[in-house]
Amino acid sequence: MKRSSYIAASVTFAMVLSLSGCKSREKIDLTGIHTQEETTASGKETLAAPDAAKTTEGSAESKEAEKESETKKGSDSSLALSVRSKIATEKNGKISIEYPILSNLKDKNSEETVNALIKDAATRILTDYEVDSAIDTVSVTCNIVSLDRSKAVLTFEGSLMKNGASYPVNVFYTCTVDLNKEVLLGLSDYADPYTMAGYILSDDCVLEKPSDSKEALEYLKTQDINTLWGILKEADFTSETDSRFPESFSYENQGNIYISVPVPHALGDYVIVRFTPDTK
């Protein structure tokens, strides 16, 4: 840019010398030429800079817009593939039981069946324990342990107080639904009940809840393996479960198997053991 101005000035200076040496010609004011040349050169640079900035800015804005668009597409796609849930509550007198209602399943026609299975499992405590909503009290909350396109794993926890009872009973039960087959799953679908009975009676047994109860562990070791095996064989609500409320419940999460086992009220009414397979 300096070189261009220098050349322009040199040419102007030469012209002045030439014109001043020729007395037959009138003097010409050339200051405007020099000023115009500099302005023109400077103007070219000024115009180029905004164009480049606009191009860079436009490119950045375009990339940001594309990124936002891709993020939105990914979010919309994820939302479209995700099973959705909302918590509903069964209320009647002194009864309050939470349960989820699922939607956006792969098969829209299965939603009614699946949600009926879940609600029946959640409220089954009312029929199996012959609860009278006018005088008995039931309070149960629901936790969605895991939920994907193929399976829903739910746990229910709370208390039951029958009229005339000395104290409320702590309750814990679970519900695992195969969303594709529209059936309830149980312990026998992912573990061998007899093997689990042996594990519960062994020194390797790990308590998930309560995690530090030596008394509960000692109590479990006093149980007969065949009696415990019988309880675990009938664990969970499944498509084959009869009308009797199971004594034990289980669920699977991130490769671990969790099993509730009945214990005396003084120990909490139930404990939950955690089993981690060697293949995890």
Side-chain angles (χ1 to χ4, degrees), residues 149-160:
R149 301 290 284 175
S150 60
K151 187 169 63 174
V153 180
L154 317 169
T155 63
F156 302 89
E157 188 172 5
S159 63
L160 163 66

Side-chain angles (χ1 to χ4, degrees), residues 25-75:
R25 297 182 182 180
E26 296 180 357
K27 291 183 179 181
I28 301 176
D29 185 2
L30 299 178
T31 56
I33 296 176
H34 180 69
T35 303
Q36 183 180 1
E37 183 67 26
E38 285 185 341
T39 303
T40 303
S42 176
K44 288 179 182 179
E45 183 178 6
T46 302
L47 290 174
D51 287 344
K54 287 181 180 179
T55 302
T56 304
E57 183 180 352
S59 176
E61 290 177 351
S62 176
K63 289 180 179 180
E64 185 63 26
E66 289 178 5
K67 183 178 179 180
E68 290 179 358
S69 177
E70 289 299 322
T71 300
K72 186 176 185 301
K73 286 180 181 179
S75 177

Side-chain angles (χ1 to χ4, degrees), residues 67-205:
K67 183 178 179 180
E68 290 179 358
S69 177
E70 289 299 322
T71 300
K72 186 176 185 301
K73 286 180 181 179
S75 177
D76 291 343
S77 176
S78 176
L79 185 61
L81 293 174
S82 300
V83 176
R84 301 168 195 168
S85 66
K86 64 178 181 180
I87 298 296
T89 304
E90 177 78 359
K91 288 189 175 182
N92 184 12
K94 298 180 180 180
I95 294 170
S96 176
I97 300 176
E98 291 183 351
Y99 62 93
I101 297 176
L102 307 185
S103 61
N104 202 39
L105 303 185
K106 284 193 287 187
D107 183 358
K108 291 291 183 181
N109 297 324
S110 68
E111 288 185 7
E112 184 176 353
T113 302
V114 166
N115 285 317
L117 286 172
I118 292 173
K119 184 176 181 180
D120 287 347
T123 59
R124 185 165 159 177
I125 188 174
L126 302 178
T127 55
D128 286 8
Y129 279 93
E130 300 180 345
V131 172
D132 185 336
S133 60
I135 57 177
D136 298 332
T137 302
V138 177
S139 178
V140 174
T141 58
C142 173
N143 177 45
I144 300 176
V145 177
S146 65
L147 178 62
D148 56 36
R149 301 290 284 175
S150 60
K151 187 169 63 174
V153 180
L154 317 169
T155 63
F156 302 89
E157 188 172 5
S159 63
L160 163 66
M161 179 70 172
K162 294 283 288 183
N163 183 47
S166 302
Y167 48 79
V169 176
N170 297 310
V171 295
F172 175 85
Y173 51 104
T174 67
C175 174
T176 299
V177 189
D178 185 318
L179 301 180
N180 296 320
K181 297 180 180 179
E182 303 174 22
V183 296
L184 297 176
L185 303 177
L187 179 62
S188 297
D189 291 299
Y190 42 82
D192 175 59
Y194 190 82
T195 300
M196 291 299 96
Y199 167 74
I200 292 171
L201 300 179
S202 73
D203 293 334
D204 296 327
C205 181

